[in-house]
Amino acid sequence: MALSGAMLRVGIFGYGGGPSVIPLFRHEAVIRYKWMTDKEFGELLAFANALPGPIATKLAAQLGYQQKGAMGAVAAILAHILPTTIAMVALLGALYSMKESVIIAGMIAAVRPVIAVLLGITAYEFCAKTWGGLGKVIGVGFGIIAFLLLGLLDVHPAIVIIAFLAYGTVHIKVYNWAKQKWGRKEESMRENSGGMSS
């Protein structure tokens, strides 16, 4: 019941689709029901982004599967898409007749800043988690690389995500190797300086 209710709320309030629903999914999964931690949600989001198809249905399916298995995934997807499907069928004619309305344009314009703030908060929280896992220098560096690849070089997002996932699989090994090498180097320098002083 909680799963269906959560997916219904995300479906109803997820105006704008795509990235705008991510903060709503996070609120339900991490804050309201505590099905997962922020770190686990970030991993789920990265995995879902790497797969083809709409992000909202992928997140709904994965959350449903984690909670109730295959039937939970089906129930979560249906609960998520049901409100918008009914609204589209029922209101399609009305929307077409009012698409030039100043009131509708004002409503859309008023909602956009809310979506921007929600996305900004989510991005900030993910950045804080990234700094904790990768460190500030690597985290900021990866952010700049991602911006250059996506914003300036127009590389397809799937390629960027797969490349970063590939790095993530070896990050711990690289980090531990560098730490051991740096530790041995510092230890060697201490021994040399101790030998010289004696």
Side-chain angles (χ1 to χ4, degrees):
M1 197 67 183
L3 179 64
S4 297
M7 296 303 103
L8 273 170
R9 280 189 294 275
V10 174
I12 290 168
F13 297 115
Y15 178 85
S20 68
V21 299
I22 293 170
L24 301 177
F25 273 111
R26 179 186 165 277
H27 178 80
E28 297 291 341
V30 177
I31 297 171
R32 185 190 291 266
Y33 292 110
K34 295 179 172 50
W35 291 329
M36 57 181 57
T37 64
D38 258 326
K39 182 180 178 183
E40 290 168 336
F41 184 78
E43 291 168 355
L44 170 66
L45 181 61
F47 179 69
N49 266 318
L51 298 173
I55 186 68
T57 50
K58 290 182 289 187
L59 287 174
Q62 185 61 28
L63 287 170
Y65 185 78
Q66 286 183 357
Q67 296 305 307
K68 302 287 181 179
M71 291 306 296
V74 172
I77 291 172
L78 290 175
H80 176 69
I81 66 173
L82 190 64
T84 49
T85 304
I86 293 171
M88 282 174 63
V89 171
L91 301 173
L92 195 58
L95 286 172
Y96 271 116
S97 65
M98 294 189 298
K99 65 180 181 179
E100 303 298 331
S101 168
V102 177
I103 295 171
I104 298 297
M107 289 169 61
I108 292 169
V111 169
R112 281 179 184 150
V114 177
I115 295 170
V117 169
L118 285 171
L119 286 171
I121 291 169
T122 303
Y124 172 77
E125 289 172 351
F126 279 155
C127 282
K129 298 292 178 186
T130 300
W131 290 350
L134 294 174
K136 287 186 180 180
V137 174
I138 296 176
V140 170
F142 275 14
I144 293 168
I145 292 168
F147 174 76
L148 292 173
L149 291 172
L150 295 169
L152 299 181
L153 300 177
D154 203 25
V155 177
H156 194 281
I159 296 170
V160 177
I161 290 165
I162 289 168
F164 278 56
L165 284 173
Y167 173 79
T169 60
V170 298
H171 169 74
I172 297 298
K173 292 179 182 177
V174 171
Y175 176 78
N176 287 337
W177 173 81
K179 191 174 178 183
Q180 285 176 352
K181 187 174 180 182
W182 183 256
R184 281 198 295 265
K185 191 175 180 182
E186 281 189 336
E187 191 176 327
S188 171
M189 288 172 67
R190 277 197 300 269
E191 285 175 0
N192 289 339
S193 64
M196 288 172 67
S197 62
S198 61

